[in-house]
Amino acid sequence: MGKHVVVIGAGVAGMEAAGRLSRNGLEVTLLEKESVAGGHINDWFRLFPDRRDSNEVREYLINLSSDPKIQLKTGASVDKLTRHGSSYLLTTDAGENINADAVVVATGFSLFRSSRKEEYGYGIYENVISSADLEKLFISGEIVISSGKAPQRIGIVHCVGSRDEKVGNLYCSKLCCVTAVKQAIEIKEHLPDSEVFCFYMDMRMGGALYEELYREAQEKWGVNFIRGKVSEASETIDGKIVVKVEDTLAGRPLKMDIDMLVLMAGMEMSEGGSKLAATSGLKTGENRFFASADHHFGSNISNLEGVFFAGTCIAPMNVTETISHARAAVTEVMEYFSNNNR
Amino acid sequence: MKNEGKKAVWSEYQKEIADDKFFYVRSCIRQNFFPGSEVAFLRILKEVLGKDVYEHPCHTTCSGIGYHGDIVPFETAMTVVARQFALMTEAGYENYVPSCITSFGLYTEILDTWHHFPEVEKKIRKNLKEATGREFEAPKNLAHASDVIFKFRKEIAAKAKYKLINKNTGEPLRVVDHIGCHYAKMFPSKGVGGAEYPYVLAGMIEEWGGQVIDYPERRHCCGFGFRQYLVQANRGFSVACSKEKFESMQPFKPDMIITNCPGCPMFLDRWQYVINEIEGKQYGQNGEGIPVFTYEEVAGLVLGFDPWDLGLQMHQTDCEPVLDKIGIEYSPEDKYKLNSLNHSQPKHLVVNV
Amino acid sequence: MDNLFDKLMEDIRFEEGLNACMNCGVCTAICPAAEFYSYDPRKIVDIVQSRNNELIEDLLKSEQIWYCGECMSCKTRCPRGNAPGLIIMALRGLSQDLGYFTESEKGRQQLAIKRTIGESILNTGYCVYIDGISPEFHPEQGPTWEWVHENRVDLIERLGGNYKGDGPGILRKIPQETLDELKKIFEVTGGLERYEKIESYSKKKAAEMNLDFDEGIDNEYFSHIYKTNNGSHTR
Ligand code: SF4
Ligand code: SF4
Ligand code: SF4
């Protein structure tokens, strides 16, 4: 009988892994807690660095994972994962039991809940929004603030919920810098007369074509980059946002009035992932993401035999890396089965 | 502004506040500048709410102003504070209530230090024993006096004679709350509502009928800055800070300011006078200043205490505009009345009358 | 010469207040003193973490460490869990211990704080007591305060205080035995030593500056340090 693999999470990593597993002749159950597959990519308008339409990637993933060997179950999250002999028993929140010969954990990330960074007033001040909210505005085709008008001055805050002991996240989320640059350009495309300010600590442009995008933002679009982490935001009587930040290169504290503040929310271990870690015995690391067996050559391997990691459930990754990581997970699964069959 | 967002933040900072048997410790600055507030605090707790509050005659300054003026070493301040704790222990109390925010901040800092460095606590115990022969237990509950009034804000509202409502328009008074920096900025979890959206005064204002004004410089320091006011050459800093706050709050047309720190009501009150003297500028309505109150003064007014029993005549910025808006009954002639022999009045009045 | 960083490390507030700083500027952006003075708490933290002895010595002798108002707004916000305000307190402590504070105009003011607040603590048990808050030294308190100060006996009685009285209450007299205990605490814990250092280094400085130096607040040096502002401190 063919082996059966359960993939937990039908985002980019889960869909890629499921598709590749089925191509290798395995039976796959793909579990997704939301009502549709796709994960975060469903909420994103365009992707960095080339600003391609995210639908193209989504369609690729849907095609890949639309295979009779793959059974997609939406609205299903995993409550329990227990080992039975050489296989695993998964119990969903609906009480369904599923047997698996191997498991791929692709529970992904959650965006940092920006209201936790209290001093930025997300959820309190009308015109403070998150990077995800801005994508929704891009999708709607209209960038407006609470007054219904287009914003003139827009601030973009890097590192919201990342590199910050106060919220318990010491790590860099790695993708928010390039997201900020991408979104800054898109704002300028929509509103050519607007002024856009990125408040950053370090520009972490370590991906293919990222630095080029940064340069384009400066040269072609006139985006302003100010080196300093925003200290606080507050609201004036006419709904403007006052930002306090130090221009650390000039050594000068600034107080700026802007119309809209966009918070680059970081990536955190997903809630589903944390729940799974708590009930399965899967180990997590100090950043609360799942802990791989080895950073260099075992990043797909967990502390449970036959359970493998794919994608951002172990650390922030971009789409390219996530897809590669999911494929690598599939390689590990195949090797696991061939070793066990011997 | 979305209030639900603030409520969500507030709900994450629930603070435990004892509900009876308080060991009360006075504030040096407030005894000098707002004596009526401490009188009102005790009157409200004892007479209105029927609580047990004890004041030890031998307690002293916590040395906090000296500590933050950097002339008193931390070890000395800790030992002075340990002595206060010893008085509490000897009197059989466990719930420590300081009237001063600088003190409250210092106590919080010390307890936190002892928690992280138990060897320091040991040393302080040894110091205290050596210097005074006393021993102490750390408080079971540490709450600032404003926390205590916050805790009983509903009971006070239930007995209130007045509300923070403009009797002519029926609209809630627009109230700016100013929280002393050392209330929660050092240890957000020790303050009601945390450091960013403290709820301690906002809760009182809401409960007593007023509307809280949130303005951009709400969190800015009043400008005390210890040495920045204590030394005459530095006072420019102090007034500049207050001024920044006034400028920022003015567009919101506040009817009054309420504070919970010893220094803040003084600076927010006096610097309005100074700015008016220098620039002829007033920040309130109708060419008046914005009256500044302590939370006990406001609680007292709401409960129907006489304004001159509360010591409002000691304010430099007249409080009457607020009394009139609320419709509080008071006798203007009695404002500066001291006793049958002393009929003096402040100079500006004498000149104008 | 002493390693100044090691000396700072002996201060528990320094240990608590300094982790690694990433120069993000969050502290400076929110600092009321940085808004007013030519002052940048971020740079202070950065100098200190460099562990460079000369730079730290310069800092201890500079105006820079005296601008902070110890509001601790920076402690709330620092994403690295630093507390520049606490670091400043440790620097100020060391500057006084080593006598470096007299090298700067703002540092010299420590004598004024010692002579007013410091002595009030030991003499009255209050850090300030109404008798000493004279309208003459506090014109900003306004005419109402003049009236309050002049009529303090009657006014405090009218409000239910206990001016210089026995037992508990507002502005009560703090018993001599209590003041003796306070003094003993200062003796045992290094408080008196700090006071004496401030006095002796200031005296030395006064001689250097050719200013009369005497006890109390009525002398040339006191008046000079209390009132002088050379106007070069602000932004
Ligand atoms: S990628 Fe950039 S914005 Fe995101 S956490 Fe790292 S440095 Fe901050
Ligand atoms: S906020 Fe903290 S990390 Fe940032 S510059 Fe200041 S001390 Fe350094
Ligand atoms: S404590 Fe000092 S350095 Fe920190 S914000 Fe306040 S004034 Fe600035």
Side-chain angles (χ1 to χ4, degrees):
Chain A
M1 213 184 82
K3 297 279 187 193
H4 177 227
V5 183
V6 173
V7 177
I8 308 173
V12 173
M15 290 165 90
E16 178 71 29
R20 298 288 163 176
L21 287 164
S22 72
R23 282 196 191 178
N24 278 287
L26 298 170
E27 296 289 333
V28 180
T29 302
L30 178 56
L31 300 178
E32 171 54 47
K33 67 176 187 335
E34 301 297 330
S35 57
V36 288
H40 292 279
I41 208 164
N42 292 345
D43 305 324
W44 237 246
F45 180 51
R46 289 180 193 281
L47 305 178
F48 56 77
D50 52 3
R51 277 173 287 140
R52 91 185 291 161
D53 186 342
S54 65
N55 281 320
E56 290 175 23
V57 176
R58 194 157 55 134
E59 273 156 30
Y60 154 81
L61 290 167
I62 288 172
N63 283 336
L64 184 70
S65 59
S66 302
D67 184 296
K69 284 184 140 46
I70 301 175
Q71 198 194 358
L72 172 67
K73 290 192 181 192
T74 55
S77 66
V78 176
D79 267 358
K80 241 165 82 187
L81 169 72
T82 38
R83 194 174 172 97
H84 282 268
S86 64
S87 66
Y88 282 90
L89 181 69
L90 291 93
T91 312
T92 68
D93 54 346
E96 189 185 352
N97 287 325
I98 306 171
N99 257 306
D101 297 304
V103 177
V104 173
V105 176
T107 45
F109 68 94
S110 292
L111 270 185
F112 175 77
R113 192 162 51 80
S114 297
S115 57
R116 273 171 58 204
K117 195 77 190 141
E118 294 166 20
E119 58 268 44
Y120 295 160
Y122 182 82
I124 295 176
Y125 306 136
E126 304 277 354
N127 294 315
V128 176
I129 66 173
S130 72
S131 44
D133 298 332
L134 182 59
E135 290 293 328
K136 284 191 200 116
L137 293 182
F138 289 146
I139 292 171
S140 80
E142 216 187 2
I143 304 176
V144 286
I145 54 176
S146 60
S147 63
K149 290 202 200 116
Q152 268 304 304
R153 282 156 70 87
I154 297 109
I156 295 183
V157 186
H158 290 229
C159 304
V160 177
S162 309
R163 306 178 68 189
D164 189 344
E165 200 178 302
K166 297 272 149 170
V167 297
N169 293 342
L170 302 183
Y171 55 92
C172 164
S173 290
K174 204 171 101 169
L175 308 181
C176 7
C177 273
V178 64
T179 300
V181 171
K182 180 202 78 124
Q183 293 193 334
I185 291 175
E186 290 171 303
I187 291 170
K188 291 292 283 185
E189 279 177 334
H190 274 81
L191 307 168
D193 294 332
S194 65
E195 281 181 286
V196 181
F197 303 89
C198 284
F199 303 106
Y200 72 98
M201 289 194 279
D202 299 285
M203 289 302 288
R204 298 207 161 154
M205 291 286 134
L209 302 175
Y210 290 9
E211 185 66 18
E212 289 82 344
L213 195 70
Y214 175 24
R215 191 165 171 163
E216 182 189 328
Q218 294 177 289
E219 283 179 355
K220 183 169 168 200
W221 300 100
V223 174
N224 302 291
F225 290 88
I226 297 177
R227 192 197 172 278
K229 187 174 167 78
V230 170
S231 195
E232 75 171 25
S234 47
E235 195 180 66
T236 68
I237 195 154
D238 43 12
K240 281 196 192 313
I241 302 296
V242 184
V243 166
K244 288 194 179 180
V245 64
E246 184 192 2
D247 180 343
T248 59
L249 299 180
R252 196 160 37 112
L254 303 175
K255 201 157 109 176
M256 293 172 66
D257 269 12
I258 54 169
D259 302 313
M260 184 169 95
L261 192 67
V262 188
L263 309 180
M264 292 298 122
M267 295 163 87
E268 290 187 317
M269 172 70 152
S270 68
E271 271 169 46
S274 295
K275 199 171 89 182
L276 186 63
T279 57
S280 66
L282 279 169
K283 280 193 189 138
T284 55
E286 53 186 74
N287 292 335
R288 300 186 310 283
F289 288 100
F290 285 117
S292 307
D294 188 285
H295 278 307
H296 294 102
F297 42 76
S299 78
N300 298 104
I301 297 170
S302 79
N303 58 310
L304 301 181
E305 215 190 342
V307 180
F308 302 92
F309 299 130
T312 56
C313 65
I314 62 158
M317 292 179 195
N318 65 18
V319 172
T320 316
E321 291 160 343
T322 303
I323 287 177
S324 305
H325 199 251
R327 289 178 190 169
V330 171
T331 309
E332 297 287 2
V333 172
M334 300 312 296
E335 197 168 311
Y336 170 70
F337 285 146
S338 66
N339 285 346
N340 282 4
N341 278 345
R342 241 183 286 138
Chain B
M1 188 99 37
K2 296 178 246 175
N3 232 356
E4 322 81 73
K6 274 200 200 169
K7 292 227 160 82
V9 175
W10 291 335
S11 67
E12 288 186 22
Y13 296 91
Q14 301 293 340
K15 170 174 177 173
E16 201 188 312
I17 303 163
D19 98 325
D20 202 353
K21 299 201 179 356
F22 302 106
F23 184 81
Y24 185 56
V25 178
R26 293 187 183 276
S27 148
C28 302
I29 296 185
R30 300 179 93 226
Q31 290 176 81
N32 286 291
F33 292 99
F34 302 96
S37 294
E38 293 197 346
V39 172
F41 179 81
L42 293 178
R43 196 172 145 197
I44 293 170
L45 260 85
K46 291 180 178 172
E47 292 169 23
V48 179
L49 301 166
K51 302 292 173 187
D52 170 8
V53 189
Y54 180 76
E55 178 194 354
H56 200 298
C58 297
H59 80 280
T60 64
T61 168
C62 68
S63 76
I65 305 291
Y67 171 62
H68 284 293
D70 303 284
I71 51 157
V72 173
F74 195 25
E75 193 175 325
T76 306
M78 286 192 280
T79 312
V80 171
V81 163
R83 181 181 171 278
Q84 312 269 71
F85 290 164
L87 297 181
M88 175 189 72
T89 308
E90 290 160 19
Y93 284 78
E94 296 179 314
N95 303 324
Y96 197 94
V97 179
S99 161
C100 175
I101 289 282
T102 303
S103 286
F104 176 73
L106 181 57
Y107 297 131
T108 315
E109 183 186 350
I110 290 173
L111 292 175
D112 182 78
T113 303
W114 291 351
H115 179 76
H116 288 109
F117 305 90
E119 70 280 8
V120 174
E121 179 177 344
K122 238 194 223 149
K123 176 145 195 234
I124 300 305
R125 286 185 182 278
K126 208 175 128 253
N127 287 346
L128 184 70
K129 185 93 192 172
E130 187 186 337
T132 70
R134 296 182 193 266
E135 289 177 31
F136 70 93
E137 298 291 328
K140 212 169 101 194
N141 186 267
L142 172 66
H144 182 249
S146 63
D147 293 332
V148 176
I149 295 290
F150 170 82
K151 185 177 178 89
F152 298 120
R153 67 196 184 285
K154 296 200 162 113
E155 286 83 344
I156 290 170
K159 299 186 181 199
K161 185 166 171 205
Y162 300 106
K163 287 190 147 195
L164 301 179
I165 287 178
N166 186 320
K167 72 160 190 220
N168 292 321
T169 63
E171 296 283 321
L173 291 187
R174 302 167 64 77
V175 189
V176 156
D177 64 328
H178 176 85
I179 307 292
C181 290
H182 289 191
Y183 175 68
K185 281 182 180 175
M186 289 190 269
F187 300 96
S189 66
K190 304 291 182 212
V192 175
E196 303 296 349
Y197 306 93
Y199 190 54
V200 59
L201 297 180
M204 296 179 205
I205 296 165
E206 283 183 358
E207 200 61 46
W208 302 338
Q211 183 197 342
V212 183
I213 299 295
D214 194 343
Y215 63 106
E217 294 296 351
R218 174 173 52 79
R219 301 157 173 134
H220 201 290
C221 173
C222 69
F224 180 17
F226 303 96
R227 69 189 331 280
Q228 312 302 347
Y229 172 74
L230 296 173
V231 180
Q232 192 173 329
N234 303 343
R235 287 184 193 150
F237 166 82
S238 186
V239 67
C241 287
S242 284
K243 185 168 183 209
E244 191 169 344
K245 292 182 73 73
F246 299 138
E247 299 279 340
S248 175
M249 72 176 77
Q250 192 183 22
F252 294 82
K253 299 197 169 62
D255 294 304
M256 61 192 280
I257 300 172
I258 160 171
T259 65
N260 74 342
C261 188
C264 317
M266 182 170 86
F267 295 112
L268 294 174
D269 179 76
R270 309 301 201 263
W271 292 135
Q272 285 192 70
Y273 157 76
V274 170
I275 293 167
N276 188 34
E277 287 289 303
I278 297 171
E279 302 179 12
K281 180 151 192 191
Q282 289 284 27
Y283 292 98
Q285 293 144 52
N286 313 317
E288 291 159 340
I290 309 171
V292 187
F293 299 90
T294 69
Y295 54 95
E296 294 110 322
E297 289 169 348
V298 178
L301 287 177
V302 160
L303 286 166
F305 293 8
D306 184 274
W308 316 137
D309 287 349
L310 288 166
L312 300 187
Q313 63 276 43
M314 291 176 75
H315 295 197
Q316 179 61 47
T317 303
D318 288 336
C319 63
E320 284 88 340
V322 166
L323 308 186
D324 295 338
K325 279 178 195 164
I326 300 177
I328 289 173
E329 290 163 33
Y330 65 95
S331 133
E333 316 77 72
D334 290 348
K335 182 166 181 182
Y336 297 107
K337 201 162 132 192
L338 294 169
N339 54 44
S340 54
L341 298 173
N342 188 339
H343 300 287
S344 64
Q345 290 198 332
K347 270 208 196 88
H348 63 303
L349 281 182
V350 179
V351 175
N352 290 343
V353 167
Chain C
M1 192 191 154
D2 287 333
N3 182 305
L4 296 172
F5 186 86
D6 291 345
K7 281 209 136 336
L8 286 167
M9 273 307 260
E10 289 166 16
D11 192 318
I12 202 133
R13 293 165 304 185
F14 190 80
E15 200 180 328
E16 270 181 285
L18 181 68
N19 304 297
C21 163
M22 58 180 161
N23 271 292
C24 69
V26 156
C27 49
T28 302
I30 196 61
C31 172
E35 226 175 313
F36 184 78
Y37 292 117
S38 316
Y39 167 63
D40 193 333
R42 170 179 60 82
K43 288 185 188 156
I44 295 205
V45 180
D46 200 36
I47 289 174
V48 165
Q49 78 173 355
S50 76
R51 305 192 181 208
N52 180 316
N53 223 37
E54 276 123 74
L55 290 179
I56 295 177
E57 187 182 326
D58 288 349
L59 199 58
L60 292 172
K61 292 177 175 168
S62 74
E63 305 284 351
Q64 286 294 316
I65 58 171
W66 302 103
Y67 294 137
C68 161
E70 299 189 10
C71 65
M72 299 298 158
S73 305
C74 48
K75 183 176 189 301
T76 324
R77 298 272 170 73
C78 172
R80 282 286 179 84
N82 301 330
L86 288 178
I87 295 171
I88 296 273
M89 290 179 83
L91 288 164
R92 288 176 176 180
L94 186 57
S95 179
Q96 292 175 100
D97 275 352
L98 299 174
Y100 293 168
F101 69 103
T102 59
E103 298 299 305
S104 65
E105 181 190 293
K106 297 286 183 198
R108 288 192 281 277
Q109 295 170 343
Q110 285 310 97
L111 180 77
I113 301 174
K114 183 261 159 189
R115 292 255 176 112
T116 52
I117 307 294
E119 289 180 9
S120 175
I121 291 174
L122 292 183
N123 294 337
T124 68
Y126 296 84
C127 60
V128 286
Y129 197 79
I130 193 160
D131 295 12
I133 313 168
S134 68
E136 185 199 337
F137 274 80
H138 295 276
E140 74 290 343
Q141 291 284 342
T144 303
W145 181 253
E146 246 180 274
W147 170 76
V148 167
H149 196 258
E150 213 174 285
N151 297 284
R152 55 190 182 274
V153 180
D154 291 345
L155 179 62
I156 290 162
E157 193 191 335
R158 191 242 166 280
L159 293 174
N162 184 19
Y163 180 67
K164 294 196 175 156
D166 295 328
I170 282 164
L171 293 175
R172 71 208 178 279
K173 180 177 163 29
I174 296 198
Q176 189 55 47
E177 306 80 74
T178 295
L179 296 178
D180 294 343
E181 282 187 35
L182 267 189
K183 180 117 190 242
K184 195 81 213 271
I185 289 175
F186 270 65
E187 211 178 288
V188 168
T189 58
L192 282 189
E193 194 188 330
R194 165 77 55 88
Y195 280 15
E196 281 153 18
K197 277 189 176 166
I198 294 173
E199 284 289 341
S200 64
Y201 286 119
S202 298
K203 187 170 181 193
K204 221 168 110 203
K205 191 70 194 178
E208 240 175 72
M209 293 171 77
N210 262 322
L211 294 169
D212 286 343
F213 186 87
D214 209 340
E215 280 176 21
I217 61 174
D218 200 7
N219 59 78
E220 230 184 344
Y221 185 75
F222 183 92
S223 178
H224 176 81
I225 59 162
Y226 189 68
K227 291 183 183 152
T228 304
N229 184 332
N230 66 22
S232 69
H233 304 283
T234 51
R235 276 191 186 269

